[in-house]
Amino acid sequence: DPSLILPTESVRINDSLSYEEIPIQILDHQVCRLRTKDVAFVKVLWRNQFVEEATWEAEEDMKKRYPYLFESGGNVDQCTNFLLSAL
C-alpha cells in the first residue's frame, strides 16, 4: 500500500538502519484499577505515526523520560522547542 510508505528524508536513520521514535503529544489519560493500586496510563502520539497508531504507555515512565510532554499540556510547539534545544 503506497500510502503507508514514509519518505526517508523526514526520518533520521542511524548507521544501524534504525531510528528513534519521539513522542509528540499526549492524547488521552486513563487510570486502571488493580486490586491494591491504581496505575495511570497516557495515550501517546509518536513522531512519524498516525493517530490510529498511538500507544498506551505508563504515565510514570513517560514523565521520567519525556517531562516536557507534561508541562502545560504538552503540545506540539513545546515538543518542537525541546527537540530544537537538544540539537
Side-chain angles (χ1 to χ4, degrees), residues 4-69:
L4 298 176
I5 298 173
L6 290 174
T8 56
E9 298 83 33
S10 66
V11 179
R12 292 187 180 180
I13 299 176
N14 298 335
D15 293 335
S16 64
L17 298 179
S18 63
Y19 66 95
E20 180 182 359
E21 279 292 356
I22 298 173
I24 301 297
Q25 185 178 16
I26 301 293
L27 300 176
D28 199 4
H29 182 270
Q30 176 179 335
V31 177
C32 291
R33 289 184 146 337
L34 302 177
R35 287 185 183 191
T36 58
K37 64 179 177 178
D38 293 338
V39 180
F41 289 97
V42 289
K43 192 170 189 177
V44 181
L45 177 63
W46 300 90
R47 182 182 68 180
N48 302 320
Q49 302 291 327
F50 299 109
V51 173
E52 296 83 18
E53 298 170 323
T55 58
W56 287 99
E57 307 289 339
E59 182 178 34
E60 184 178 325
D61 293 338
M62 293 299 291
K63 280 186 178 180
K64 287 179 186 174
R65 294 177 66 194
Y66 310 103
Y68 61 89
L69 288 173

